[in-house]
Amino acid sequence: NAGVMQNPRHLVRRRGQEARLRCSPMKGHSHVYWYRQLPEEGLKFMVYLQKENIIDESGMPKERFSAEFPKEGPSILRIQQVVRGDSAAYFCASSPGGSDTEAFFGQGTRLTVV
Amino acid sequence: QKEVEQNSGPLSVPEGAIASLNCTYSDRGSQSFFWYRQYSGKSPELIMSIYSNGDKEDGRFTAQLNKASQYVSLLIRDSQPSDSATYLCAVREGGGADGLTFGKGTHLIIQP
């Protein structure tokens, strides 16, 4: 009974490169959320997706960041032309949806931009 | 701007005592409330959820919600050194499946 799976666990990118973070939700979960946690900061909501739909991207930076959750395969958070300020832990959570739903987190991807 | 406020701590509690963690939120329309535990370098782990006013108990943990005061708390009875972690309060505006607004967390230290 696998939980939320994220990969890679650690990712190092040079400034200007692209970062791709993957998230496979728990079995039976169709709702995916991405959060970012900067050092000594709280978790910040970025985007909420269901299969093939972005439901809420109000927390996503307007430039360089995008997310998708295709019909087949994991959800992808993509960061283009990374900068040092993008260095953070990126967490994915999933939920089954519905009323009063609980969300469960993956292990996170620690992105370091050098 | 929705805000969730927590005392950052550290909150130091002797082993075996009750640890009390508090959280206030700004959005009066908030419907769902959650406590997560996060060990250093690890991911958040769901401890408790609460949706209606009053107390909800699960083992050594009790969540308390007062919507009129916009206040939610977590009590940990018989605190253990393994409870030492950062505790994150999270709030959802609606009763559905929207994303959560998190506080910055309270760092709890249980002294053996």
Side-chain angles (χ1 to χ4, degrees):
Chain A
N1 186 15
V4 180
M5 303 300 292
Q6 289 189 250
N7 68 83
R9 294 288 303 277
H10 299 274
L11 182 61
V12 178
R13 284 288 177 267
R14 296 187 182 279
R15 282 178 293 170
Q17 290 185 321
E18 178 180 288
R20 284 192 176 221
L21 289 62
R22 295 174 184 79
C23 170
S24 296
M26 286 178 69
K27 186 176 181 180
H29 287 191
S30 59
H31 298 236
V32 165
Y33 314 81
W34 286 94
Y35 293 84
R36 177 166 64 176
Q37 188 172 40
L38 293 166
E40 306 304 322
E41 293 287 327
L43 280 158
K44 299 294 185 185
F45 168 77
M46 299 180 74
V47 62
Y48 162 31
L49 309 105
Q50 295 178 30
K51 284 285 187 181
E52 299 185 281
N53 283 304
I54 297 175
I55 307 302
D56 179 1
E57 57 182 348
S58 59
M60 194 87 105
K62 293 290 185 279
E63 298 178 351
R64 302 188 297 107
F65 286 73
S66 63
E68 63 176 3
F69 189 15
K71 186 177 180 180
E72 301 291 337
S75 175
I76 305 286
L77 179 67
R78 181 183 179 201
I79 311 172
Q80 295 179 291
Q81 299 175 325
V82 295
V83 301
R84 288 224 170 102
D86 296 332
S87 296
Y90 291 83
F91 290 100
C92 170
S94 74
S95 80
S99 300
D100 296 336
T101 188
E102 296 174 341
F104 299 89
F105 281 81
Q107 294 301 304
T109 294
R110 270 95 181 147
L111 172 65
T112 302
V113 179
V114 297
Chain B
Q1 179 81 7
K2 303 171 202 173
E3 292 186 349
V4 178
E5 300 288 340
Q6 295 181 255
N7 189 324
S8 62
L11 174 64
S12 187
V13 173
E15 183 176 357
I18 296 175
S20 178
L21 304 160
N22 304 315
C23 170
T24 59
Y25 57 95
S26 63
D27 186 355
R28 189 169 286 278
S30 298
Q31 298 285 332
S32 311
F33 306 87
F34 306 88
W35 283 99
Y36 286 83
R37 177 175 64 196
Q38 187 175 28
Y39 294 111
S40 180
K42 302 296 185 182
S43 63
E45 174 190 7
L46 181 65
I47 299 295
M48 293 282 288
S49 59
I50 187 166
Y51 306 104
S52 54
N53 282 328
D55 295 0
K56 179 182 177 183
E57 186 175 318
D58 184 0
R60 295 187 297 114
F61 298 96
T62 299
Q64 299 175 316
L65 174 61
N66 185 327
K67 288 186 179 180
S69 300
Q70 295 175 240
Y71 175 91
V72 59
S73 65
L74 179 70
L75 301 177
I76 307 174
R77 289 181 299 282
D78 188 23
S79 297
Q80 303 297 311
S82 59
D83 295 327
S84 298
T86 296
Y87 288 80
L88 305 172
C89 174
V91 173
R92 176 184 291 132
E93 180 181 20
D98 292 339
L100 302 175
T101 300
F102 280 84
K104 290 188 177 182
T106 298
H107 184 202
L108 175 66
I109 298 172
I110 305 301
Q111 296 177 320

